[in-house]
Amino acid sequence: MNYEKLAEILFPHITKTPDDYEKLYPKRELPEGAKVTRLGPSPTGFIHLGNLYGAFVDERLAHQSGGRFFLRIEDTDDKRYVEGAVEVIINSLRFFGINFDEGATMEGDIGGYGDYTQSHRGEIYQCFAKKLVAEGHAYPCFLTEEEIADIHSKQEAEKANPGIYGKWALSRNLTMEEIEANLAAGKSYVIRLKSDGDMSLPEDRIRRFQVEDAIRGTLDMPVNDQDTVLLKATGIPTYHFAHVVDDHLMRTTHVVRGAEWIPSLPIHVELFDKLGWEPPVYCHTAQLMKLDEEGNKRKLSKRKDPELSLDYYRQEGYHPQAVKEYLLTILNSNFEEWRIANPDAPAEDFHFTTEKMSSGGALFDLNKLNDISKDVLVKIPAKDLCAFLIGWAREFRPEILPLLEGHEEYIEKILDLGRDGKKPRKDFICAKQIFEFISYFFDDHFVIEDSIPAEVSDEDAAEILRKHLETYDH
């Protein structure tokens, strides 16, 4: 097989070479030890606590080391794309104080390693797919959906592992003539990786590899044995291929992502190897868990748990600093000890490390967040807390805005009640609760919490209150 000829047949429109892109995206000039991290959310319209959890790790690793942190929009799954989702991502992360050095913004890209939106980088991925085909590491696969479904049925009957590999990879060994005939017939195809692994071998003969995870230590895994799809029939890359190419060209040194990606690691390591690149350091974070009503741990669920969505914290009015402070307690096991020793230091002074991160499930506890929020808010000056309350009301409770805006001095006095002295009151949790807590200062929102005792008549009640007012001296 003349693989170079095949590459030209499949990608005649790709004229740039891998060397062209290496020159376009040179190694970054950064201090020794500086880390380059990225957040790569999908624009699905739902940004969740896990995104913020990972973003905070990314931001700390980069900025503590004098490195760079960028935002990349990973929108290659066009079926899940939601209009306006990019704006939601950017605004939500900005609200929580996640600041990027470069990447996608609402005003356009910032930085020299863009485009930072994957759907705009099609020719780059095709260039490197062409390289893999030319070197015999990838091939066009003409299997139809019906043929793949038939393969899966046969694999089930044989109790074989599912997927396209080995004898099931029916397009892997096509001749040049057969490929050209399929192309001439207008058959649709994808580009698949030609994997090195062999699933048919006995378990004790399957090749394995080791990789160092910055959180989990040494991971020992079988090499990849799946001929995974690199480019779909539309020419759009899969996540597996796109992130490998982008992380190399954007010079990412550390990839922070959830533990659910560990099973895909053999594919990614093989791709880096076949492309001749050094892989980044992978940091697979623990899944966010919560205790159910029976006291058992389970994953936070988009369907069951409103607190998984970042919108929940914005709508309730949690202060960004409180959320970040709480996340640090579940990110690093030594943060609470540090906080006790440094009660007034900004959280940014804490030295974050991946070694202190849990590799098991990270337990999320809303009650503990509320307790930490009380500790954080009591230290925020009333003027700043008032401004935060007004900002929240403007977005989520515009009907109460006239009670707050223009009456800042009055509101600040209310917020400061009992907050001074050696044992200040820690009553405030979030903006929604703060307004409910101080609502008795406003006639239209006054709620009678206790009824007048049944044995007291209306006339007596009025007289009691009148006498009280006559004798009360604040």
Side-chain angles (χ1 to χ4, degrees), residues 365-384:
D365 183 351
L366 199 56
N367 291 327
K368 187 168 183 180
L369 167 61
N370 290 342
D371 288 340
I372 286 175
S373 190
K374 289 177 181 179
D375 289 333
V376 170
L377 295 192
V378 79
K379 295 176 183 176
I380 296 176
K383 185 175 182 179
D384 296 339

Side-chain angles (χ1 to χ4, degrees), residues 211-219 262 265 281-285 354:
V211 64
E212 289 300 315
D213 185 292
I215 296 172
R216 297 163 185 273
T218 304
L219 299 178
I262 291 177
L265 194 55
V281 176
Y282 283 99
C283 314
H284 289 97
T285 60
T354 53

Side-chain angles (χ1 to χ4, degrees), residues 410-471:
Y410 179 57
I411 302 300
E412 288 166 26
K413 286 180 180 178
I414 295 172
L415 295 176
D416 252 349
L417 288 171
R419 292 213 313 157
D420 54 5
K422 289 183 178 178
K423 290 189 176 180
R425 289 182 58 171
K426 297 178 181 180
D427 297 311
F428 301 148
I429 297 171
C430 57
K432 181 179 178 181
Q433 176 267 345
I434 290 173
F435 184 76
E436 289 171 357
F437 193 79
I438 67 171
S439 61
Y440 62 90
F441 281 93
F442 309 101
D443 292 348
D444 291 343
H445 295 270
F446 186 91
V447 176
I448 296 173
E449 299 286 354
D450 300 300
S451 58
I452 294 170
E455 63 270 22
V456 178
S457 69
D458 291 347
E459 293 78 12
D460 284 348
E463 183 63 20
I464 291 168
L465 290 171
R466 193 159 36 247
K467 290 292 187 186
H468 173 70
L469 288 173
E470 286 174 4
T471 58

